[in-house]
Amino acid sequence: MSENQSILVIGADPAGLQASKDIAEFGFRVVLVEKRDELGGAPIRWKYHTLAPDFVPTEKVLGPLIDFVKNNKLVIIYSSSIVDSYEQKDDYFKVRILNLKNKSVSYEKVSAIIIATGFEHFNASLDPRYGYGINPNVIGINELEIMLSNGKIVRHDGKIPKRIGFILCVGSRDKATNQWCCTVCCGISIKQAIEIKKILPDAQIYVIYMDIRTIGLWEKLYWKSMEEYHINYIRGRVGENTGQEKNYWLKEKIRLLEDLLKLCLI
Amino acid sequence: MSENQSILVIGADPAGLQASKDIAEFGFRVVLVEKRDELGGAPIRWKYHTLAPDFVPTEKVLGPLIDFVKNNKLVIIYSSSIVDSYEQKDDYFKVRILNLKNKSVSYEKVSAIIIATGFEHFNASLDPRYGYGINPNVIGINELEIMLSNGKIVRHDGKIPKRIGFILCVGSRDKATNQWCCTVCCGISIKQAIEIKKILPDAQIYVIYMDIRTIGLWEKLYWKSMEEYHINYIRGRVGENTGQEKNYWLKEKIRLLEDLLKLCLI
């Protein structure tokens, strides 16, 4: 592949941004197509407080990547745009790029395509057992990130929660919803549990899980959460959040009184 | 980087072989250094029957990679050799390669280095709780692969085992041995459990685990093992293999009679 060829990157989420930077640094032209106006994907859109496992502010990680692709002459950005079709030629692809706002069409000739579509949070109201969307004290991973950004963890009534439960694997590894595991919800939840303890050192935190999948660099975070922050881990599946008397039942008949229940909905 | 530059790959295990092939296909010269005589790493050395998650015979996966690096003119192989020192120059590394057999020394100039050191199985006799190295019916992941290659699963006395236990995480996530998780032992053990069931459909198989970490492609194997092959999963840590009356006790006081106990020692 010669250096005057172009590579198409679909999606300006963190993976797409990093790929675009790396390719440009190798000296190739990058065509970066993002369907939204803004770059950065879900962590920027949902205003994540910090990123796991290193507790680095989101802006500090993604800001320089966004600046790089915006300012590097080798990266051509099509925002508010999608690739709606392509033709494969002998040794390149001819891709059609549609601007979703003004409906203008552009064509690019690229020799390789990287798909970095990013992710959406699972809509936990699809699994009604947990009361998400019904009980205002049941919140998602993204809503907790906003609380962490504000430095305030509060119940819907403004009171400070004493006991906080994390339910992992919501909508995950479940034939009724998604059959797969998102791979990152364990680590992000543990990071969030530690951050809550930094704000509310006396809060009791329970992480209710199927399997803890903190492989590689995340493992240290898991140990730290138990040894330094005394996060409690309970293996089981929450059968139902009854919403009555603020009681939550595990299948194993362990009773937990929770003030604020945080779901893992990535 | 121009195409007449070289890239050093240390280790001809599967990752090193694949990296060498990919780099050569991009048109760069590869210097592949392997300390052993043979190429292929642990799966070849330990004669793995098949590779997870796709049950493909090891030779079928690694044979073509080994043939490629042996026959491609861009790949220079130093077997029975190690890189014992290097100097960093302005824009390249000067590496010293020592042949362990004849003690001859070679120098290569490379512009990048890939370290693919491969892996060794954990020596389970370092954790004496399980009786590995004492009870001949306690075997390792590699010893079971050899049985699977031979198509015969037998106890030390030649009898066919009726109940087989897998203990996962031996030597793993344990401050006394290794603090990390190998990430592959769940998947390999599940693959092996399914293969045993293909040979001995009536055997009862118990997998004793801390967390099942079958992320991505491995997830299907996990479900298949339960739904099609009726593998039993028990969460817990084995406190001790007493070796008496062939009884094994879990911390939770669940009693299991096991004929053949297979450890996960990767």
Side-chain angles (χ1 to χ4, degrees), chain A residues 1 3 173-175 178-181 183 209-216 219 222-223 227 235, chain B residues 1 3 173-175 178-181 183 209-216 219 222-223 227 235:
Chain A
M1 199 164 80
E3 296 194 1
R173 300 165 69 193
D174 181 344
K175 291 208 168 167
N178 298 319
Q179 299 195 17
W180 54 86
C181 157
T183 77
Y209 70 101
M210 280 161 67
D211 287 301
I212 293 291
R213 293 182 161 185
T214 47
I215 287 171
E219 206 80 275
Y222 179 32
W223 284 21
E227 295 172 351
R235 189 168 203 265
Chain B
M1 198 162 80
E3 296 194 0
R173 299 165 70 191
D174 181 343
K175 291 206 169 169
N178 298 318
Q179 299 195 19
W180 54 86
C181 157
T183 76
Y209 70 101
M210 281 161 66
D211 287 300
I212 293 290
R213 292 181 161 184
T214 47
I215 287 172
E219 206 80 275
Y222 179 31
W223 284 21
E227 295 172 351
R235 191 168 200 266

Side-chain angles (χ1 to χ4, degrees), chain A residues 77-184:
Chain A
I77 302 173
Y78 289 88
S79 58
S80 309
S81 298
I82 59 168
V83 174
D84 69 351
S85 65
Y86 75 100
E87 284 174 74
Q88 187 163 3
K89 305 286 187 178
D90 284 347
D91 62 349
Y92 67 91
F93 301 94
K94 185 185 173 190
V95 294
R96 195 182 117 110
I97 300 165
L98 172 69
N99 185 301
L100 296 171
K101 285 190 169 167
N102 62 23
K103 305 297 173 194
S104 66
V105 169
S106 311
Y107 290 91
E108 289 277 359
K109 188 175 151 182
V110 300
S111 50
I113 300 173
I114 292 178
I115 299 174
T117 55
F119 66 90
E120 292 292 345
H121 292 103
F122 176 69
N123 176 6
S125 61
L126 294 175
D127 190 337
R129 288 175 293 185
Y130 308 119
Y132 182 80
I134 301 165
N135 184 329
N137 288 321
V138 178
I139 64 171
I141 208 165
N142 46 332
E143 292 154 314
L144 182 55
E145 280 295 325
I146 292 168
M147 285 192 188
L148 292 167
S149 293
N150 296 334
K152 273 184 110 170
I153 309 294
V154 285
R155 285 169 47 84
H156 189 65
D157 58 13
K159 288 182 186 160
I160 303 298
K162 288 177 187 160
R163 285 188 274 194
I164 298 169
F166 281 71
I167 305 177
L168 306 195
C169 306
V170 175
S172 161
R173 300 165 69 193
D174 181 344
K175 291 208 168 167
T177 49
N178 298 319
Q179 299 195 17
W180 54 86
C181 157
C182 76
T183 77
V184 293

Side-chain angles (χ1 to χ4, degrees), chain B residues 179-207:
Chain B
Q179 299 195 19
W180 54 86
C181 157
C182 75
T183 76
V184 294
C185 139
C186 292
I188 293 172
S189 299
I190 294 169
K191 177 212 77 130
Q192 291 186 328
I194 291 173
E195 288 181 313
I196 291 175
K197 280 292 240 184
K198 288 179 181 173
I199 297 171
L200 302 174
D202 295 331
Q204 290 169 35
I205 301 185
Y206 301 91
V207 177

